Amino acid sequence: MKRRIRNAIASMLVGTIVVVGISCSNNNVEKDNVLLLLKTLDNPFFESIKKGAFENWPKDSMSPQIVVRAGSKESDVSTQRQVLESFLNQYTQEGDGSRLKGVILTPSASNNELTGYIKRLNDHQVPVILVDTQIAKTALDSAGAHYDVFIGSSNEQGGRLAADLIVKYAPEGGNILLLNGVDGHESAIARRKGFKDRLDELSSNYQIELTERTANWRKDEARKTVEGLLTLGHKIDAIFAANDEMALGAYEAVRTTPGAGNREKPIIIGFDAIDAAVQAVKEGSLTATIAQNPYGMGEAAVESLSKIWKGEAVIKDQIISVKAVEKE
Amino acid sequence: MSGSSARFRNLGSILKNPQTAFWVAPGLFLLMFFILISMSGENDSLSAGGNILVHLVKNGSVLVLLSLGVALVLAAGGVDISAAGVATLSGVVFAITSQSLDSVAYGIGLGVFLSIAFGVFSGSILAILVRYFKAPALIASWALGAMWLIVSVVLANKSFSLPFVDNIERNTSSVGLGFKVPWDFFHFHGLGFWSVVIFIFVVTLLLYFSNLPRRAAAVGANKDSATYAGIKVGSITVYCYIFSAIFASIAGLSSALVNGSALTTSLAGHELTAIAAAILGGTAMTGGYFRPAPVVFAALFWGEVTLLAINLQLFTNSEFQSQLANGIYASTFILVLMLLGRNMSADVNTVHSERKTEG
């Protein structure tokens, strides 16, 4: 009797999974699809890109449906590879009739981790729109791959702007902490380069000691890192975090590490201007943040894809200027 | 009481013999602690030591609690890698509840109760699967943990409507707390610091003096012998899984308080670090040996390694380098202790040598 009950429960579980799986896959295969593949939904920045794409998606019944997938974190390139593999196998075929009408991608890696899949998308005439993060031209060339449109901010310009803000708010110089994103990400490389190049240009009149750490775009890692430095007595006068999540984590560390009451609060500059960071700037927790307009990126990606379908001309590299958000 | 006084005498014997597995993790902890004090930029060593302790308690409490639970299950011959999933969902439930009531005190109280109740629930499910349905513990706990992580992300998603709850601060990466944690909550004079220290101290003492860990070790060493000795193997296994899940759910509360919000992905992977800390604390991987205090020191030692890695200039530019650095630093210190003649694991010889000392 017990064995019968166990077998019945096991059969029901397996049956439920099979039915759910079939019903999900049937809905997608018969319609045209566009894949919106984000680094992660673990960060409000990418949520805004998704929102921009969804809210501006054509509502007519003839338009493809947009399907969202994302990795578990910003460096999760293996999930992106698996998703691309799955969509290529499921929705593309030789000749006409492919159901995949476009891919909007925020790459989790900037070298040749994804170029093979982009080449396969190119071979099936699937438009590829890169958003926020570039893939290195050398990697694309070596794979014989290309993208149709890139939409992003000038991360290097943002890094330079952050350096100017630090000089503005900490004119005496001092100890500066640079919190980097994931090593190898184009956006992390560009923001770091812009920041350090600008500080080098100003070095004759501006004395600083620069410390670099990575917190992998994550708030909790940034908090632990800054807390660890402050715990062992490092003096920090200013922090530039390559995204707002890390800036907010740094602020938490500065606020709660022992000695906070006796210590002058450092300047903290973020990047992305997510809602929480803009609010923190208004409250004075953060000094400033660099605004990118992720919603606009999602919107522009959809517009570019529509133009490609209609055969209209489209600008290949669309760079959106950044600006500083400071307390008025 | 005779059992307790015997254990007091045994503890004294164990402490006198530096060759037992008991001393490995505390030795590592102390060695690293003095090195960190010497690296500190503070002029006053006492204040530097205090700051380091605060950092370890604040950031290490989660791993300590996870390690204690995982070690108890390992001692009984099982394995539990659902701890991170339980901790994450527990933190999310606590955060949602703390925001959803008008009174912060009621919200916190209900949140603590629900989190611990969830721990009991999760531990019971896993215990039933492993004990009565003979599910492989590794697979069952992995699946359960993954399921709880998915539920956490769903609950944290703004577009998912929660019954009876409107407009609470959440996104897929975190759920905010309904109150701001005071800036000095985890400072040396803060309520949070001493609550964590006293809680871990009391739990460690209770684990040392209670019968459960010894019976769990007996079950882990040899189930048949334990049965013949009159130990209820089934019940002990169930209790171990339940306690592991309760510790994990309290770890989730601690993580939410430390971060000021419940994070949905930050604890993923911590179950493996907890197992490593349990082994470093002398717990036998195959079951049969468990001492709570060394496990606590081993988890705190891992926190020290992370603190050292943050402050050294080397290998901090990428996640891969940071993980590599942590492994190198930890391995170096362990090698030093091995060369000094410490037993690194609770194998049969170690247990027997400890029993000789106790005798």
Side-chain angles (χ1 to χ4, degrees):
Chain A
M1 186 65 184
K2 267 190 191 171
R3 185 185 287 272
R4 275 193 199 170
I5 293 171
R6 269 210 312 244
N7 288 346
I9 292 171
S11 305
M12 275 166 47
L13 275 172
V14 169
T16 307
I17 290 168
V18 168
V19 165
V20 167
I22 289 172
S23 60
C24 285
S25 58
N26 274 343
N27 281 341
N28 291 341
V29 165
E30 288 171 4
K31 288 196 71 170
D32 290 342
N33 288 274
V34 166
L35 172 63
L36 172 57
L37 182 53
L38 300 168
K39 283 182 191 174
T40 178
L41 287 169
D42 209 22
N43 184 322
F45 179 81
F46 297 100
E47 286 262 17
S48 294
I49 294 178
K50 176 191 156 194
K51 198 175 172 193
F54 266 68
E55 287 181 2
N56 293 281
W57 192 253
K59 300 286 186 286
D60 59 277
S61 57
M62 300 302 293
S63 294
Q65 70 173 8
I66 183 167
V67 178
V68 181
R69 295 287 184 270
S72 60
K73 53 185 176 178
E74 292 198 42
S75 56
D76 186 6
V77 68
S78 70
T79 297
Q80 290 200 329
R81 289 162 64 101
Q82 284 165 28
V83 170
L84 286 168
E85 181 74 48
S86 164
F87 270 70
L88 277 162
N89 291 338
Q90 214 173 350
Y91 299 113
T92 60
Q93 57 194 61
E94 295 303 321
D96 292 335
S98 292
R99 293 283 183 202
L100 188 59
K101 296 300 181 188
V103 171
I104 302 173
L105 170 66
T106 58
S108 288
S110 296
N111 286 301
N112 43 24
E113 293 86 348
L114 297 170
T115 50
Y117 296 97
I118 294 176
K119 172 77 169 82
R120 285 166 66 185
L121 290 168
N122 296 153
D123 291 342
H124 288 287
Q125 284 88 50
V126 178
V128 175
I129 315 281
L130 297 182
V131 177
D132 176 60
T133 302
Q134 262 282 25
I135 293 180
K137 191 173 183 311
T138 47
L140 286 167
D141 289 344
S142 70
H146 69 271
Y147 59 87
D148 294 275
V149 177
F150 168 69
I151 300 161
S153 306
S154 170
N155 288 298
E156 195 171 323
Q157 181 207 355
R160 295 179 66 89
L161 181 55
D164 287 335
L165 286 168
I166 293 224
V167 171
K168 174 182 172 183
Y169 288 103
E172 325 78 36
N175 297 294
I176 299 178
L177 172 65
L178 169 57
L179 283 174
N180 290 311
V182 172
D183 185 45
H185 276 194
E186 178 269 338
S187 42
I189 295 168
R191 290 173 200 182
R192 177 177 178 264
K193 182 177 185 303
F195 184 74
K196 291 183 77 172
D197 286 351
R198 184 62 182 143
L199 285 180
D200 283 341
E201 285 167 18
L202 299 169
S203 60
S204 52
N205 299 322
Y206 192 62
Q207 301 306 316
I208 58 153
E209 190 166 326
L210 183 66
T211 303
E212 283 190 64
R213 293 288 185 271
T214 182
N216 297 305
W217 303 123
R218 294 179 62 91
K219 184 178 177 181
D220 55 319
E221 280 197 42
R223 182 191 60 74
K224 278 185 208 164
T225 300
V226 176
E227 209 172 272
L229 291 169
L230 292 173
T231 296
L232 288 197
H234 283 255
K235 191 174 179 305
I236 301 175
D237 298 302
I239 301 173
F240 169 48
N243 78 348
D244 282 335
E245 288 283 304
M246 294 194 294
L248 291 168
Y251 170 70
E252 266 307 299
V254 161
R255 187 177 78 90
T256 57
T257 306
N262 305 326
R263 208 169 29 232
E264 202 172 309
K265 298 272 186 297
I267 311 297
I268 305 178
I269 312 282
F271 203 116
D272 286 344
I274 61 174
D275 291 344
V278 171
Q279 183 61 28
V281 169
K282 284 182 188 158
E283 290 167 1
S285 313
L286 297 188
T287 310
T289 179
I290 313 290
Q292 288 197 77
N293 194 6
Y295 182 93
M297 288 183 200
E299 188 181 359
V302 169
E303 273 174 28
S304 301
L305 204 50
S306 299
K307 283 185 179 172
I308 291 173
W309 290 334
K310 291 174 192 165
E312 295 171 10
V314 63
I315 301 170
K316 181 159 181 162
D317 290 301
Q318 302 175 26
I319 306 299
I320 301 172
S321 284
V322 296
K323 60 174 184 169
V325 174
E326 303 169 69
K327 192 170 181 181
E328 297 300 330
Chain B
M1 280 311 287
S2 62
S4 298
S5 58
R7 281 176 207 150
F8 265 118
R9 286 197 302 272
N10 290 343
L11 183 58
S13 306
I14 292 168
L15 289 175
K16 276 185 214 161
N17 182 358
Q19 293 305 317
T20 60
F22 186 95
W23 271 113
V24 170
L28 285 170
F29 172 81
L30 286 172
L31 181 61
M32 184 70 96
F33 189 73
F34 290 122
I35 288 173
L36 286 172
I37 289 180
S38 67
M39 282 174 64
S40 171
E42 297 272 351
N43 290 328
D44 175 14
S45 297
L46 206 59
S47 138
N51 289 344
I52 292 167
L53 261 179
V54 163
H55 178 88
L56 291 177
V57 165
K58 185 176 173 185
N59 292 290
S61 57
V62 171
L63 188 60
V64 165
L65 290 165
L66 290 178
S67 302
L68 281 173
V70 157
L72 191 57
V73 172
L74 279 175
V79 65
D80 181 5
I81 55 173
S82 66
V86 172
T88 302
L89 184 49
S90 163
V92 166
V93 165
F94 172 65
I96 288 173
T97 326
S98 73
Q99 286 196 55
S100 56
L101 294 180
D102 288 334
S103 161
V104 172
Y106 284 137
I108 293 172
L110 183 62
V112 170
F113 171 74
L114 284 176
S115 297
I116 294 176
F118 167 68
V120 173
F121 171 69
S122 174
S124 304
I125 291 180
L126 185 55
I128 289 168
L129 284 172
V130 171
R131 174 71 191 136
Y132 298 108
F133 288 93
K134 308 284 185 239
L138 193 68
I139 307 293
S141 59
W142 172 78
L144 202 62
M147 197 169 74
W148 297 144
L149 280 172
I150 291 170
V151 173
S152 310
V153 174
V154 167
L155 289 178
N157 194 329
K158 248 188 205 163
S159 54
F160 180 79
S161 13
L162 290 165
F164 313 117
V165 176
D166 291 316
N167 297 323
I168 66 168
E169 185 198 318
R170 55 181 173 152
N171 59 63
T172 45
S173 65
S174 67
V175 181
L177 295 179
F179 54 94
K180 192 155 182 162
V181 178
W183 65 275
D184 57 352
F185 189 68
F186 283 103
H187 285 199
F188 209 70
H189 55 269
L191 176 65
F193 175 82
W194 287 107
S195 300
V196 170
V197 169
I198 290 169
F199 179 78
I200 289 175
F201 183 70
V202 166
V203 161
T204 305
L205 277 183
L206 282 174
L207 281 174
Y208 184 74
F209 286 109
S210 76
N211 286 327
L212 177 62
R214 286 171 185 270
R215 292 184 180 187
V219 167
N222 192 317
K223 276 200 175 83
D224 292 332
S225 300
T227 308
Y228 295 142
I231 294 173
K232 290 180 185 167
V233 170
S235 304
I236 294 296
T237 308
V238 168
Y239 292 149
C240 287
Y241 280 110
I242 289 176
F243 272 105
S244 173
I246 290 175
F247 287 145
S249 65
I250 296 171
L253 295 189
S254 175
S255 173
L257 287 171
V258 164
N259 288 296
S261 57
L263 303 175
T264 52
T265 54
S266 68
L267 292 177
H270 270 54
E271 61 276 6
L272 299 176
T273 314
I275 290 175
I279 305 299
L280 190 58
T283 309
M285 187 78 186
T286 49
Y289 185 82
F290 167 62
R291 288 283 186 268
V295 172
V296 171
F297 281 109
L300 292 175
F301 166 70
W302 191 253
E304 289 176 321
V305 166
T306 311
L307 183 56
L308 179 73
I310 287 169
N311 281 276
L312 288 182
Q313 283 285 101
L314 303 172
F315 304 126
T316 53
N317 289 330
S318 74
E319 188 176 8
F320 167 70
Q321 286 182 6
S322 299
Q323 287 172 356
L324 194 65
N326 285 1
I328 290 172
Y329 299 140
S331 303
T332 305
F333 280 90
I334 291 166
L335 200 61
V336 166
L337 271 169
M338 282 173 70
L339 290 171
L340 291 174
R342 296 287 180 265
N343 275 318
M344 283 309 302
S345 66
D347 56 14
V348 171
N349 292 328
T350 310
V351 171
H352 282 181
S353 68
E354 194 170 303
R355 287 221 176 101
K356 266 190 216 167
T357 311
E358 287 180 20

